[in-house]
């Protein structure tokens, strides 16, 4: 393959992305230098507004894997990927209305603090360790995979981009904390949109306009979007994307530390919800741009597919190759697209580093050293940012020698997300589930999710289930490039064509539902949790929606949790002294100090401020 190297202007545009991102970190380091408190560093003093947080959520949600992978998927399988807009909608609704209120009002910093308040320390630590491992693995691959694809197509220096990404992210995370991460993400989100728009405008012009793109895509069966086949083995159907996609992204979004940390950094619950809903708009925009890019790319290469002809060696190289083709005579614009791709990488890596530092500090450091000063806490938090920056960069280096395991490593994010979703769902929706059920359900969910995903990796699903669409090489110029020959499949066990062929979008659902089922069964066998021992703020009484006609049935579904003293709003606004003292004890065990939550409900705004905590003297 002929590599079309970057020009000077491309490198200047790309360098500007890193300079501005680093500058944002320096700005907030100088601006916040007098606020030497860990909560300022880790959660922005809980005074963020919804605008930058919404942009930050969208940018980190859409990594470079999305920028490069989604157009490639549409190119090969069609625009059914656009149905993820449905899944994103459900994910945001469930996150903002079910999970966020519980996390926000309980005054936690790490989402895993909730698990100790609801269950106990072993459950919390197990979930934290799983989160740390899967985030490091995923972040390393997010850095390496797009860098490799861009290197092989554009000649962009592989290790230079990998180390630059790790150094810059670590730099502005360490200097500016969450505020630097959020505002850098907001800037990178703008770069992503501008990068996509340049591709859409120039690409559609190259193939005769948008009408021509749609016509050619329809002729190539790329617009056959709706397929109501209920077969769970089919890769992409309406049901696998809307249902399986909801489980998948809710597991890695709705209960993910990176997402929740930025939501609870908002100054009110209303701002946090607005951030999520405006973020949904951003997700739709990026998804639309990525899908349309895939259709334009197909229209451009409809008679000479670079992948099957051997011009590129992997599907994720299609988008960079396409960009270098259409911008061959326009220096600077290839650099803009690469900036678009790396904006996704920077935002994801920075959010991951900040989240890893937060959960490590809150869940381990504070538990071992509960009486740290604010100044020392801040320096430890910065040290953790540096540590995880180095680890994630090292993981990217390791990914270079992992070969085909890279695909499995990317899937880890989803495989762990499903059981995590099941664990938090058990805590929030099932008051009778005890810590044994929670821990047993988590381990069962992870085992089943890894089993099916590993089996699918070893024995890929047959083409009859993935249904790749035809690609043409009729008008390709003959070259000396050797065509790739499909490997001969070895004998397959019977389970390979059933269980292992399950759509990858259902892996998270398998982990989540098995976690819930096993957690409920174990809790009944070992003696269910007494609802009287659970604070109402830790449970979401959704049974009120289904038993609104009967106080008796509502009380039965509450399983002893004292929600009957008034509405949820009244309970939080006019919480009794006993509830405050009990929560203080729980937080005292968690943080090593007595904390009395101060009600933050504003009846005029109909929203909750972040729960304010006042230190009280130990006796």
């Amino acid at each position: 393959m002929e590599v079309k190297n970057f020009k000077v202007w491309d490198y200047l545009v790309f360098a500007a992305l890193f300079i501005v991102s680093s500058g944002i970190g320096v700005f907030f380091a100088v601006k916040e230098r007098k606020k030497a408190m860990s909560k300022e560093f880790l959660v922005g003093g809980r005074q963020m507004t919804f605008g930058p947080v919404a942009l930050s959520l969208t940018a980190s949600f859409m990594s470079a894997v999305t920028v490069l992978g989604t157009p490639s998927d549409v190119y090969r399988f069609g625009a059914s990927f656009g149905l993820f807009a449905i899944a994103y909608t459900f994910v945001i609704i469930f996150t903002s209305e079910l999970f966020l209120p519980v996390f926000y009002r309980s005054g936690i910093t790490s989402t895993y603090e909730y698990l100790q308040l609801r269950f106990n320390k072993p459950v919390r630590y197990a979930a934290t360790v799983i989160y740390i491992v899967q985030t490091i693995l995923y972040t390393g691959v997010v850095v390496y995979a797009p860098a490799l694809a861009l290197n092989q197509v554009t000649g962009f220096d592989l290790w230079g981009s990998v180390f630059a990404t790790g150094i810059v992210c670590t730099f502005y995370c360490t200097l500016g904390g969450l505020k630097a991460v959020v505002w850098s993400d907001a800037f990178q989100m703008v770069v992503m949109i501008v990068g996509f728009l340049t591709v859409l405008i120039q690409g559609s012009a190259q193939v005769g306009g948008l009408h021509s793109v749609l016509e050619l895509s329809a002729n190539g069966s790329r617009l056959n979007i709706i397929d109501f086949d209920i077969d769970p083995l089919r890769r992409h159907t309406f049901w696998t994307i809307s249902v399986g996609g909801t489980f998948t992204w809710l597991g890695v979004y709705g209960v993910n530390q990176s997402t929740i940390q930025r939501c609870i950094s908002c100054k009110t619950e209303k701002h946090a919800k607005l951030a999520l809903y405006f973020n949904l708009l951003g997700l739709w925009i990026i998804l639309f741009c990525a899908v349309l890019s895939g259709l334009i790319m197909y229209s451009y290469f409809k008679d000479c597919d670079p992948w099957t002809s051997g011009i590129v060696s992997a599907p994720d190289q299609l988008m960079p190759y396409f960009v270098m083709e259409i911008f061959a005579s326009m220096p600077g614009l290839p650099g803009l697209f690469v900036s678009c791709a790396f904006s996704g990488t920077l935002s994801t890596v920075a959010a991951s580093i900040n989240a890893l530092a937060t959960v490590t500090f809150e869940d381990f450091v504070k538990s071992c050293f509960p009486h740290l000063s604010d100044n020392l806490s801040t320096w430890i938090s910065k040290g953790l940012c540096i540590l995880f920056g180095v680890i994630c960069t090292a993981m990217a280096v390791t990914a270079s020698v992992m070969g085909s395991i890279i695909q499995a490593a990317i899937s880890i994010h989803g495989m762990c997300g499903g059981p995590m979703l099941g664990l938090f769902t058990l805590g929030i929706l099932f008051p009778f589930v005890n810590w044994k059920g929670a821990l047993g359900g988590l381990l069962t969910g992870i085992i089943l999710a890894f089993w099916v995903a590993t089996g699918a990796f070893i024995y890929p699903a047959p083409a009859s289930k993935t249904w790749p669409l035809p690609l043409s090489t009729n008008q390709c110029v003959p070259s000396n490039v050797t065509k790739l020959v499909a490997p001969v499949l070895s004998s397959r066990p019977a389970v390979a064509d059933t269980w292992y062929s399950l759509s990858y979008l259902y892996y998270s659902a398998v982990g989540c539902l098995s976690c819930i089922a096993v957690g409920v069964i174990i809790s009944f066998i070992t003696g269910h949790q007494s609802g009287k021992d659970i604070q109402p703020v830790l449970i979401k009484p959704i049974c009120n929606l289904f038993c609104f006609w009967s106080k008796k049935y509502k009380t039965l579904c509450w399983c002893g949790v004292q929600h009957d003293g008034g509405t949820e709003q009244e309970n939080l606004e006019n919480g009794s002294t006993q509830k405050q003292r009990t929560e203080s004890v729980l937080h005292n065990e968690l943080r090593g100090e007595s904390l009395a939550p101060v009600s933050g409900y504003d009846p005029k705004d109909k929203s909750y401020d972040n729960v304010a905590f006042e230190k009280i003297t130990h006796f």
Side-chain angles (χ1 to χ4, degrees):
M1 178 180 66
E2 180 185 354
V3 175
K4 299 181 179 181
N5 292 317
F6 266 22
K7 309 297 182 184
V8 174
W9 281 106
D10 298 314
Y11 283 107
L12 290 177
V13 171
F14 183 73
L17 170 70
F18 284 83
I19 292 171
V20 173
S21 298
S22 300
I24 292 173
V26 173
F27 171 78
F28 280 103
V30 174
K31 182 182 178 182
E32 309 290 329
R33 64 187 183 280
K34 294 183 179 179
K35 300 178 180 179
M37 298 178 67
S38 61
K39 76 172 184 177
E40 288 286 343
F41 184 81
L42 297 175
V43 290
R46 301 181 188 263
Q47 291 299 313
M48 301 294 292
T49 55
F50 69 88
V53 172
L55 291 173
S56 174
L57 287 170
T58 304
S60 58
F61 188 78
M62 296 296 185
S63 68
V65 174
T66 302
V67 176
L68 302 180
T70 299
S72 172
D73 192 278
V74 173
Y75 176 86
R76 293 184 296 146
F77 297 99
S80 60
F81 202 95
L83 292 175
F84 272 100
I86 299 173
Y88 295 161
T89 302
F90 283 122
V91 167
I92 297 303
I93 292 174
F94 285 131
T95 301
S96 61
E97 305 301 331
L98 179 60
F99 296 107
L100 175 64
V102 174
F103 293 139
Y104 194 96
R105 299 172 191 180
S106 59
I108 60 176
T109 299
S110 162
T111 53
Y112 306 103
E113 289 181 59
Y114 169 83
L115 296 176
Q116 181 174 337
L117 295 173
R118 174 63 179 84
F119 298 115
N120 61 9
K121 283 186 177 181
V123 176
R124 175 187 181 181
Y125 291 153
T128 302
V129 170
I130 292 171
Y131 171 78
I132 290 174
V133 171
Q134 61 110 350
T135 302
I136 290 173
L137 289 174
Y138 178 75
T139 304
V141 174
V142 161
V143 174
Y144 177 75
L148 178 63
L150 292 166
N151 165 260
Q152 293 179 340
V153 176
T154 67
F156 195 78
D157 186 76
L158 172 62
W159 296 115
S161 60
V162 167
F163 287 111
T165 299
I167 291 170
V168 170
C169 288
T170 304
F171 177 75
Y172 70 75
C173 282
T174 304
L175 282 183
L178 183 68
K179 286 185 178 179
V181 171
V182 168
W183 283 103
S184 296
D185 286 352
F187 163 70
Q188 291 152 13
M189 175 64 182
V190 174
V191 174
M192 289 174 70
I193 293 177
V194 172
F196 263 129
L197 287 178
T198 58
V199 173
L200 296 179
I201 294 171
Q202 178 67 6
S204 60
Q206 292 273 352
V207 296
L210 186 58
H211 176 75
S212 178
V213 169
L214 296 177
E215 183 179 350
L216 293 171
S217 298
N219 293 338
S221 303
R222 262 60 186 178
L223 296 184
N224 298 336
I225 298 175
I226 305 296
D227 181 357
F228 288 107
D229 188 351
I230 61 173
D231 184 0
L233 307 186
R234 288 280 306 282
R235 182 178 184 270
H236 279 177
T237 66
F238 176 85
W239 303 111
T240 56
I241 294 177
S242 59
V243 177
T246 298
F247 274 98
T248 299
W249 291 116
L250 193 58
V252 298
Y253 192 83
V255 297
N256 188 284
Q257 170 65 26
S258 177
T259 302
I260 299 302
Q261 181 174 341
R262 278 170 286 182
C263 288
I264 63 177
S265 72
C266 292
K267 59 184 180 181
T268 67
E269 185 180 325
K270 183 178 181 179
H271 272 267
K273 287 187 175 182
L274 284 173
L276 284 169
Y277 283 114
F278 275 93
N279 155 62
L280 176 59
L281 180 61
L283 296 180
W284 285 342
I285 292 172
I286 294 293
L287 179 64
F288 173 79
C289 291
V291 170
L292 188 55
S293 295
L295 296 177
I296 293 173
M297 186 163 60
Y298 169 76
S299 302
Y300 187 86
F301 292 126
K302 65 181 178 62
D303 295 321
C304 180
D305 170 41
W307 182 38
T308 53
S309 65
I311 297 176
V312 299
S313 58
D316 59 1
Q317 296 172 15
L318 286 167
M319 190 66 176
Y321 179 75
F322 173 62
V323 168
M324 296 302 290
E325 283 282 309
I326 64 175
F327 292 131
S329 60
M330 306 173 72
L333 291 184
L336 179 60
F337 173 76
V338 171
S339 297
C340 168
F342 272 91
S343 289
T345 297
L346 287 173
S347 58
T348 302
V349 173
S352 297
I353 291 174
N354 190 260
L356 287 168
T358 300
V359 298
T360 303
F361 179 77
E362 293 291 333
D363 296 356
F364 295 115
V365 176
K366 264 197 169 183
S367 295
C368 298
F369 306 99
H371 302 293
L372 295 172
S373 66
D374 285 331
N375 189 50
L376 183 56
S377 296
T378 302
W379 281 107
I380 292 175
S381 300
K382 291 184 176 183
L384 289 171
C385 282
I386 295 174
L387 173 64
F388 283 115
V390 172
I391 292 175
C392 289
T393 305
M395 184 62 219
V397 176
T398 305
S400 66
V401 297
M402 290 171 64
S404 58
I405 298 179
I406 289 177
Q407 180 181 345
I410 294 175
S411 300
I412 287 176
H413 211 41
M415 289 186 292
C416 292
M420 286 289 194
L421 175 62
L423 177 62
F424 282 100
T425 302
L426 283 173
I428 293 174
L429 299 186
F430 297 88
F432 57 85
V433 170
N434 59 28
W435 72 270
K436 297 176 183 176
L439 193 57
L442 176 63
L443 296 178
T444 302
I446 287 179
I447 290 171
L448 287 178
F450 268 79
W451 177 26
V452 64
T454 304
F457 179 69
I458 299 173
Y459 301 102
S464 60
K465 297 302 180 184
T466 57
W467 281 18
L469 296 173
L471 295 166
S472 173
T473 58
N474 292 335
Q475 296 185 18
C476 289
V477 177
S479 66
N480 295 325
V481 179
T482 304
K483 281 193 174 184
L484 298 176
V485 179
V488 178
L489 296 177
S490 58
S491 58
R492 294 162 61 89
V495 73
D497 294 326
T498 52
W499 175 241
Y500 292 162
S501 294
L502 186 70
S503 172
Y504 74 100
L505 290 172
Y506 283 134
Y507 296 166
S508 186
V510 167
C512 176
L513 296 178
S514 59
C515 175
I516 293 174
V518 171
V520 169
I521 293 172
I522 292 178
S523 295
F524 275 115
I525 293 176
T526 59
H528 60 78
Q529 174 82 31
S530 172
K532 293 181 180 180
D533 298 330
I534 302 174
Q535 293 302 317
V537 75
L538 303 178
I539 302 292
K540 186 72 174 178
I542 63 168
C543 59
N544 290 3
L545 298 175
F546 306 103
C547 305
F548 61 88
W549 69 89
S550 171
K551 185 174 181 180
K552 175 183 176 182
Y553 289 126
K554 284 195 293 185
T555 303
L556 181 64
C557 291
W558 290 335
C559 301
V561 179
Q562 301 301 310
H563 281 296
D564 54 342
T567 66
E568 185 180 7
Q569 171 180 320
E570 290 168 346
N571 280 329
L572 286 166
E573 183 181 0
N574 305 313
S576 64
T577 304
Q578 179 62 37
K579 188 192 88 168
Q580 290 190 353
R581 288 182 177 178
T582 304
E583 288 182 348
S584 294
V585 171
L586 288 169
H587 281 282
N588 182 35
E589 178 186 358
L590 190 64
R591 302 171 180 270
E593 56 189 20
S594 293
L595 301 169
V598 180
S599 175
Y601 182 73
D602 182 356
K604 293 182 180 179
D605 196 33
K606 295 183 179 179
S607 177
Y608 294 86
D609 294 328
N610 266 295
V611 179
F613 294 100
E614 295 180 346
K615 295 183 179 180
I616 58 177
T617 307
H618 290 282
F619 292 98

